[in-house]
Amino acid sequence: MSRFNHRGIFLQKLGPTIVNPDEVLVSMQFALKEEDWDAENNVETTALLDSTILIASSHDGGRSFSLGNINKDIDGDGDIDADDKAKLLALAKAYVSIARP
């Protein structure tokens, strides 16, 4: 997130593990950033608002992912449907394919 764009997506790849070398999890956090000024301590503060965390899981090394129920309109078209889920799954797959993020 920058000073100009207060929306952000934080992605984190988890796995594979020793227990299951084909398991990969992608944590996706969607948030809004709010900046404020703490006059008492004379510092700028930052808070994340409206934060949502979703976990996409793969059991085939990241070739395909599954995602539990989502309850947020991700693509902004006014409804929560299969398109939202498809975009999240594509994001997880694309992120895992990046060798050095």
Side-chain angles (χ1 to χ4, degrees):
M1 286 187 256
S2 70
R3 287 200 165 289
F4 304 109
N5 185 359
H6 292 271
R7 298 179 328 150
I9 303 172
F10 302 95
L11 301 170
Q12 182 179 16
K13 177 184 171 190
L14 310 167
T17 64
I18 295 171
V19 176
N20 186 351
D22 287 333
E23 181 181 48
V24 178
L25 303 176
V26 175
S27 171
M28 300 177 276
Q29 180 180 11
F30 300 84
L32 297 174
K33 178 175 76 169
E34 179 182 73
E35 295 175 342
D36 202 2
W37 182 255
D38 181 351
E40 183 176 317
N41 295 313
N42 202 29
V43 295
E44 186 175 343
T45 61
T46 302
L48 295 180
L49 308 174
D50 193 27
S51 179
T52 301
I53 297 175
L54 300 166
I55 305 290
S57 61
S58 172
H59 297 283
D60 59 7
R63 289 186 298 278
S64 65
F65 282 88
S66 62
L67 189 63
N69 291 334
I70 58 171
N71 58 359
K72 194 164 192 164
D73 178 21
I74 298 299
D75 58 11
D77 65 355
D79 58 358
I80 301 168
D81 57 10
D83 289 339
D84 295 298
K85 195 169 194 173
K87 285 176 176 64
L88 291 168
L89 294 173
L91 178 61
K93 189 172 182 179
Y95 183 66
V96 166
S97 71
I98 299 171
R100 290 187 170 89

